Each structure stands twice: as C-alpha cells, then as structure tokens.
C-alpha cells in the first residue's frame, strides 16, 4: 500500500495531486492514500475565507472550492487534520470527522480511522496553554480572538486519545511533539532555522500535549507540519513490563512551495495488499466507544474544564471493555464503513462573479452538518455546534450523574508550568525557479535502529512539470546534492520499484532550500492556575542522526519547483503579541 504524506497544504491541492500523478506515471505504482498534516484550507467560498486567521491581503481561494463543487474530484483518498490556517467555520461542522468534499475526509478535532487495515489517528490544531482547559465555545461570526482560539487543542481530545489501547500505525499532528528534535539531527535544524535555537536548548519548542500522546500511544509513524522544514527523528520507547524497546519514526515535512520538501511517499503492508479492491475508510470501533463513554465531559463554554483522574469518585478510565465496544458496533448496525454521504451545506465560489472585496464580506452563520447529525444520532452523543445553537443536550451517562466530579491533577502537568512559545516562521513565498520537480531516493544501511551511526546516499533528478512524457524525463541528468552526503553519479531517476513486502524504510535528513527568508516573533505565554478547591465545570453548569529499521517500508520524497516571484513578511502583521501560531 503506497501512502503519500504532505506537510502544510495551504490550499495547493492541484500541485499536490499533480506531483502524485507524475510519480505514478513515471514509476508505475498507484498511490492509495494521501495524508495531509494541517493547514489544508478547505475554503468553499469567500465567506469561509473570511473565517481564516490570516491578513486580508493574503486571503486566496486556491483550489479546494473546485473539489467541493464537483468540478474536480480528488484522484486519491485524502485524509487531513486541521492546522492554524483553516476555514474554521466549515471544519466546526465536523467535530468527529466527515467528508468535506468527495474523497476528502477530515478527522475532526481528533479522530481514529481504519484504512486498508491500518489504524490512523490524528489531532487537529496547535497547542496553546491558556486555551487548553477550555470548552469548544467558539462559533461564527468570530471575534479576532476566537478566530484563533478555535483551532487551539483542548484537553478533552487529548484525554480521549489517551484512552486508546492496542497498536497504532500512523498518527498525525500539526505542530511537533515537544522534545522530538532531541531524537534527530537538531544541530542541522538549528542551522537551517536559527531562531529555533533557544527554544530547542530549553526543550520548549513544540506541543506539550502532542508530547504526552507520543509517549502514551507510541505509534509506528508520526507525521507533522507547521514549522515549515523537513526533519526526521527516531524516538525509542521502553516497555517497562517486558523490558523491550519499540520505536516511533517521526517525520516533519515542509509546506507546498517551490524547492521545498513537502511530499513523501512510503510503502506499508496492508491487509488489502494484493486484493485489487479499492481502499475503504472505516470507523475505529474503540474510538467511537470512547466518544460515547466520554460524551458527558464535552463542554461548550469558555470556563476551565478538568478531566476526571485518580482520586475521583466518578469513572476516570474510559478504555472500553469488549462488551462496550460490541454495544457500539450494534448501535452502528454492525457496519463500521464510513458512508460516502457528502452533502454541500454552502455554495462553492463562483469565479464568474469576479474577485470578491474581502473588506465587505461578512462571516457566515454557524451551520449543522447532516453527516455529524447522523453519527450523533447513532451513538447518542452531542454535536458541540448543536449545543452552541441551543439544542437540548443528550442525557449524561449514569456513571457521570451518580458521582461528584473531582479534579484530575495529572491533567495539570501540561498547563501549570509556564509554557514558552516557539519562534515559528510564517512565510509567504512567491519565488522564481526553473519549473522543475525533484525526486529523491534515500538508501540506508541495514544497521539496527538503536545504532547512532549509519551510511546513506541519495540522488536527485529533476522532473518537468509540463505535459511531456515520462520518457523525456528519463533523459535528464541528476543535479548535484548536498555536500554532506555521498552522491553516486547516475543518469535518470533512481526510485526503487515497489515491492510486495519486506521493503526497507529510511527517513534520511536532507537540507532544505532556504531561498525564502523566514521571520519569527518571540512571545511568552502564561498558563492557567487553579486553587485546590476548583472543580471541573460542565456545560450544564455554565539524538543523534536517526537510523531506521529497513524491514517495513520504503520512502521516496518529492520537492516542487515552479516559477514565482519572491517576497517575505513578518509575523507581527498577522498575530497579536499573545499569539504563537506559525
């Protein structure tokens, strides 16, 4: 099963799908799934655009509205999480996930699905301490503050994800888990992004919530975007019961721009391999059960909300039993396949009306989505937007009603310490180039993943973005690569043919093109504190260079070039002095 992973999409769907199609044409494999790590920008019209957190002069429709209207269809099943540059009003219609366009699926605030036998999870948004303990209180029309707080991670989603059991194949987050840079080539990272140095030295760069999830879930792969740089790492986890270690292969990717390493393709074994059947998307029964069991913890107020924990008289462990999972499956009529029931709830952008004057556009009213309504009815759970619109709340679970609510002290370890913000760049590049894509193959030695050293090589070859045939591209000579790696001079493209099984993987670091200058904004952030008597409120109460195991999959990466002009700007024009976003 071939999976393409993309960093920050920023609405450039045509570029991403064209790059995937070109790879398929040249190398004879079929990409089954595309994963996007945030800033997807599912903007249907100018009203959605008004709800996106960016300066008015940078608001652009990009490509998504054509896929929403049906003018185009995504050529590969696409799954994405939310970032910090999104049409938040539209994504709020799908708190538990849903189809934003045919063949394009959003995971929701947090979510877990199954694709071809692979378990894929994700957490949308970015971490910010002061909003972490709040409920999902925002709705359109947003204020300047709520336009940004709406995409900040909440403790409810992190608490729910921590209840998951079993193995996890892939997990996605927009911002990086804090501290993951200590498990990869951080000196190179600090050289490429010098404004990260002080944050890295203080272990303050990244999301503390994602760090907790990385330690708890221990997925085989973890993919991120947000910081606009490619970075691989290998994180080892010790199993205290068995004494054995397992590893998470982390990879952050860049945004979709010329000469950026924004796309990576890997091959993973799947239960559907060799079946010839299309890859289907299914719900994860355990995740649906957790949503059902924790529905009473949902808050839609800006009040501080604590999750239950040790010492509480109410239930605080929601890892479901087999009986509870079976009950969920029965509620779903024994069918966990996600229905392809996309239905447009707003008109798509009409180019014939001309470019809109954004200063006169108003934010749209909030809407309910029939996909979410159907799922909530099946599971008897609440839609946060329905509660915000005044709908009656579904009854709480008996266990939630029976016992008083206590504070979970373990949940405070993320927020009590002052959290320093990262110097994250926010770049807008329009740069000139030679209209060339690059294909890179990386080869690693068969060393054990615990070894700190290993050998590898890569070869770069250009691919023209025009309509020329694959035979034309095979005549192009490879370009020079970074001097820090050994390069074997070879003509043509060097991308291994896919294997049925047993192929190797290597996430080898490579230097990014830094032709566009980055800027940073240094900020500080305080975290909420509480008195010992504070109680949870409910709505009712208003390393070294990594070496990877070469036995599971193979990875190829794509970077893209096209002719554009260059300019840069600084974060100060976008965010207030209290905002951390990239």
């Amino acid at each position: 099963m071939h999976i393409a992973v993309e960093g920050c999409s920023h609405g450039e769907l045509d570029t991403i799908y064209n790059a995937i199609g070109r790879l398929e044409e040249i190398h004879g494999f079929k990409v089954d799934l595309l994963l996007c790590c945030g800033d997807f920008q599912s903007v249907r019209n100018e009203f959605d655009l008004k709800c996106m957190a960016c300066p008015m002069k940078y608001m652009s429709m990009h490509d998504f509205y054509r896929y929403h209207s049906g003018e185009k269809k995504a050529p590969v099943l696409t799954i994405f999480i939310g970032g910090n540059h999104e049409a938040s009003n539209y994504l709020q219609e799908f708190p538990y996930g849903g189809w934003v366009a045919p063949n394009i699926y959003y995971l929701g605030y947090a979510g877990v699905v199954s694709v071809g036998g692979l378990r894929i999870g994700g957490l949308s948004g970015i971490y910010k301490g002061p909003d972490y303990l709040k409920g999902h209180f925002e709705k359109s029309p947003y204020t300047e503050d709520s336009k940004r707080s709406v995409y900040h991670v909440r403790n409810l989603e992190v608490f729910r994800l921590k209840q998951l059991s079993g193995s996890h194949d892939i997990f996605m987050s927009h911002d990086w888990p804090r501290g993951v840079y200590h498990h990869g080539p951080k000196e190179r990272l600090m050289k490429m992004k010098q404004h990260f140095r002080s944050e890295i030295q203080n272990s303050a760069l990244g999301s503390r919530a994602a760090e907790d999830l990385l330690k708890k879930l221990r997925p085989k792969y973890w993919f991120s975007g947000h910081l606009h740089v490619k970075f691989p790492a290998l994180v080892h986890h010790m199993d205290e019961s068995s004494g054995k270690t397992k590893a998470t292969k982390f990879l952050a990717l860049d945004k979709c721009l010329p000469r950026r390493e924004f796309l990576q393709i890997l091959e993973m074994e799947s239960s559907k391999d060799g079946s010839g059947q299309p890859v289907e998307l299914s719900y994860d029964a355990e995740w649906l059960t957790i949503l059902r069991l924790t529905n009473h913890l949902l808050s839609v107020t800006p009040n501080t909300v604590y999750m239950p924990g040790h010492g509480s008289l109410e239930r605080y462990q929601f890892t479901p039993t087999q009986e509870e999972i079976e009950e969920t499956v029965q509620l779903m009529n024994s069918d966990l396949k996600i229905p392809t029931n996309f239905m447009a709830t707003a008109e798509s952008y009409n180019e014939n009306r001309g470019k809109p004057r954004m200063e006169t556009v108003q934010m749209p009213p909030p809407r309910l989505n029939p996909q979410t309504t159907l799922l909530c009815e099946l599971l008897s759970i609440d839609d946060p937007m329905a509660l915000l619109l005044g709908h009656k709340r579904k009854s709480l679970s008996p266990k939630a009603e029976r016992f008083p609510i206590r504070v979970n002290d373990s949940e405070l370890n993320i927020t009590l310490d002052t959290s320093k913000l990262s110097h994250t760049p926010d770049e807008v590049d329009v740069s000139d180039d030679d209209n060339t894509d690059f294909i890179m193959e990386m080869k690693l030695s068969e060393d054990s993943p615990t070894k700190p050293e290993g050998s590898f090589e890569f070869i770069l070859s250009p691919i023209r973005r025009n309509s020329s045939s694959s035979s034309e591209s095979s005549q192009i000579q490879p370009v020079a690569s970074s001097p820090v790696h050994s390069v074997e001079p070879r003509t043509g493209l060097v991308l291994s043919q896919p294997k049925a099984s047993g192929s190797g993987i290597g996430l080898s670091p490579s230097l990014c093109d830094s032709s566009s200058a980055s800027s940073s904004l240094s900020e500080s952030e305080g975290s909420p504190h509480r008195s010992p008597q504070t109680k949870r409120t409910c709505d009712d109460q208003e390393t070294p260079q990594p070496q990877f195991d070469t036995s599971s999959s193979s990875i190829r990466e794509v970077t893209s070039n096209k002719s554009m002009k260059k300019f840069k700007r600084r974060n100060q024009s976008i965010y207030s002095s209290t905002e951390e976003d990239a």
Side-chain angles (χ1 to χ4, degrees):
M1 181 175 180
H2 289 84
I3 301 175
V5 184
E6 211 281 327
C8 297
S9 307
H10 288 288
E12 299 290 344
L13 292 184
D14 287 349
T15 300
I16 297 168
Y17 290 137
N18 288 341
I20 292 174
R22 189 66 170 151
L23 281 174
E24 291 176 332
E25 176 186 351
I26 292 173
H27 302 289
F29 59 77
K30 174 65 178 175
V31 172
D32 302 290
L33 177 66
L34 169 64
L35 303 177
C36 298
C37 301
D39 285 353
F40 189 80
Q41 296 184 9
S42 52
V43 178
R44 300 166 295 180
N45 49 46
E46 58 268 34
F47 306 105
D48 287 353
L49 199 58
K50 192 74 171 185
C51 296
M52 195 167 69
C54 75
M56 194 175 299
K57 64 180 179 179
Y58 297 118
M59 291 180 176
S60 175
M61 291 303 301
H62 291 295
D63 307 324
F64 175 78
Y65 71 93
R66 295 187 176 93
Y67 295 88
H68 178 266
S69 67
E71 177 184 343
K72 294 183 178 181
K73 183 178 179 180
V76 56
L77 174 61
T78 302
I79 300 176
F80 74 97
I81 57 171
N84 57 304
H85 296 299
E86 304 287 1
S88 297
N89 65 307
Y90 188 30
L91 295 190
Q92 279 196 286
E93 295 182 18
F94 309 98
Y96 310 119
W99 300 102
V100 299
N103 220 28
I104 301 178
Y105 190 85
Y106 168 55
L107 274 181
Y109 289 135
V112 183
V113 295
S114 176
V115 183
L118 299 177
R119 199 180 196 190
I120 300 174
L123 177 67
S124 293
I126 61 173
Y127 171 76
K128 188 174 183 181
D131 293 322
Y132 181 71
L133 299 179
K134 295 179 180 178
H136 292 287
F137 67 92
E138 302 91 349
K139 70 176 186 292
S140 178
Y142 304 107
T143 65
E144 285 304 309
D145 288 336
S146 64
K147 186 192 292 185
R148 290 167 174 79
S149 67
V150 67
Y151 54 70
H152 290 151
V153 171
R154 305 298 156 89
N155 61 346
L156 173 61
E157 279 68 48
V158 176
F159 179 79
R160 284 170 163 169
L161 287 167
K162 286 181 178 179
Q163 310 307 311
L164 291 165
S165 65
S167 61
H168 305 269
D169 296 297
I170 295 173
F171 197 87
M172 295 185 289
S173 66
H174 187 55
D175 46 357
W176 301 11
R178 187 183 66 163
V180 73
Y181 31 81
H182 295 307
H183 301 272
K186 64 180 179 182
E187 289 299 327
R188 161 181 279 179
L189 177 63
M190 291 186 290
K191 184 177 180 181
M192 290 189 293
K193 302 283 186 178
Q194 296 183 10
H195 42 280
F196 291 172
R197 183 171 294 276
S198 63
E199 306 288 323
I200 290 176
Q201 290 173 345
N202 295 325
S203 294
L205 183 68
S207 167
R208 306 180 73 178
E211 178 187 25
D212 273 9
L213 288 174
L214 175 59
K215 293 177 180 178
K216 174 65 171 65
L217 300 181
R218 303 179 178 185
K220 296 176 183 177
Y221 297 91
W222 188 298
F223 301 119
S224 296
H226 191 50
L227 295 186
H228 299 164
V229 62
K230 181 189 174 186
F231 183 82
L234 187 65
V235 183
H236 293 281
H237 311 283
M238 174 65 72
D239 187 336
E240 296 179 358
S241 59
S242 65
K244 297 181 179 180
T245 61
K246 61 183 298 186
T248 295
K249 299 166 186 176
F250 172 83
L251 180 66
L253 292 168
D254 211 328
K255 57 183 174 180
C256 183
L257 281 177
R259 295 185 296 276
R260 298 298 188 94
E261 295 166 311
F262 66 85
L263 187 66
Q264 194 107 4
I265 295 179
L266 60 95
E267 183 180 354
M268 295 183 65
E269 291 186 3
S270 164
S271 61
K272 300 294 184 181
D273 284 350
S275 66
Q277 299 296 321
V279 174
E280 293 182 345
L281 192 60
S282 300
Y283 291 115
D284 183 272
E286 185 181 36
W287 175 250
L288 293 185
T289 307
I290 292 169
L291 292 180
R292 188 167 59 85
L293 297 176
T294 59
N295 181 63
H296 63 286
L297 301 177
L298 173 65
S299 170
V300 292
T301 77
N303 300 329
T304 299
V305 181
Y306 298 104
M307 297 294 108
H310 294 281
S312 173
L313 295 180
E314 66 169 313
R315 179 177 179 176
Y316 61 88
Q317 288 286 350
F318 292 94
T319 300
T321 64
Q322 187 59 41
E323 290 75 17
E324 289 170 330
I325 293 177
E326 290 175 358
E327 182 180 350
T328 299
V329 173
Q330 291 177 2
L331 292 173
M332 298 296 293
N333 300 316
S334 301
D335 184 8
L336 293 179
K337 180 182 176 182
I338 297 178
T340 53
N341 56 349
F342 167 73
M343 179 183 298
T345 57
E347 291 185 358
S348 302
Y349 175 65
N350 187 344
E351 294 177 277
N352 296 329
R353 293 201 296 256
K355 186 176 181 180
R357 296 178 57 189
M358 293 307 300
E359 61 273 13
T360 65
V361 175
Q362 301 297 316
M363 294 186 191
R367 291 186 175 94
L368 300 180
N369 194 285
Q371 296 179 59
T372 301
T373 301
L374 174 61
L375 181 64
C376 289
E377 289 298 325
L378 288 171
L379 297 177
S380 191
I381 59 177
D382 291 305
D383 178 354
M385 186 55 65
L387 297 181
L388 288 170
L389 294 177
H391 292 213
K392 185 178 179 181
R393 180 155 192 168
K394 293 179 173 58
S395 61
L396 301 180
S397 66
K399 292 184 179 179
E401 294 175 335
R402 188 179 304 150
F403 303 111
I405 298 171
R406 300 292 181 87
V407 174
N408 175 12
D409 291 332
S410 65
E411 281 295 308
L412 301 181
N413 60 5
I414 289 183
T415 57
L416 284 180
D417 295 333
T418 300
S419 174
K420 297 181 180 180
L421 298 181
S422 60
H423 297 287
T424 51
D426 189 7
E427 302 165 306
V428 175
D429 292 31
V430 186
S431 53
D432 292 318
D433 62 77
D434 58 0
N435 197 35
T436 303
D437 285 338
F438 288 103
I439 303 297
M440 180 184 295
E441 178 190 36
M442 295 169 221
K443 299 180 180 178
L444 271 76
S445 64
E446 297 284 342
D447 294 339
S448 165
T450 59
K451 282 192 174 185
E453 300 294 338
S455 60
F456 63 90
E457 63 173 0
F458 65 76
I459 295 174
L460 292 175
S461 296
I463 297 179
R464 296 295 167 190
R465 193 184 292 267
N466 57 25
S467 59
S468 58
S469 65
S470 59
S471 60
E472 294 171 348
S473 60
S474 64
Q475 300 172 2
I476 304 173
Q477 298 297 322
V479 300
S481 62
S482 167
V484 299
H485 305 292
S486 62
V487 179
E488 175 187 346
R490 193 183 309 177
T491 60
L493 293 166
V494 188
L495 189 60
S496 304
Q497 293 298 326
K499 300 177 181 180
S501 62
S503 55
I505 178 174
L507 294 179
S508 165
S510 60
L511 290 174
C512 291
D513 177 79
S514 55
S515 58
S516 52
S518 61
S519 60
S520 63
L521 176 62
S522 178
E523 302 162 341
S524 62
E525 165 190 346
S527 298
H529 296 263
R530 63 176 179 92
S531 65
Q533 292 79 22
T534 306
K535 298 195 177 201
R536 179 175 63 81
T537 58
C538 290
D539 301 323
D540 307 300
Q541 300 173 341
E542 314 202 53
T543 78
Q545 184 170 301
Q547 301 298 314
F548 295 140
D549 185 3
T550 60
S551 62
S552 61
S553 56
S554 61
I555 285 189
R556 301 136 184 131
E557 67 181 270
V558 178
T559 58
S560 173
N561 285 339
K562 62 181 179 181
S563 298
M564 304 175 79
K565 297 182 180 178
K566 298 181 182 178
F567 68 89
K568 60 183 180 180
R569 61 184 171 87
R570 291 197 171 269
N571 290 6
Q572 287 87 336
S573 64
I574 308 177
Y575 305 113
S576 65
S577 60
T578 60
E579 186 57 58
E580 75 186 71
D581 311 48

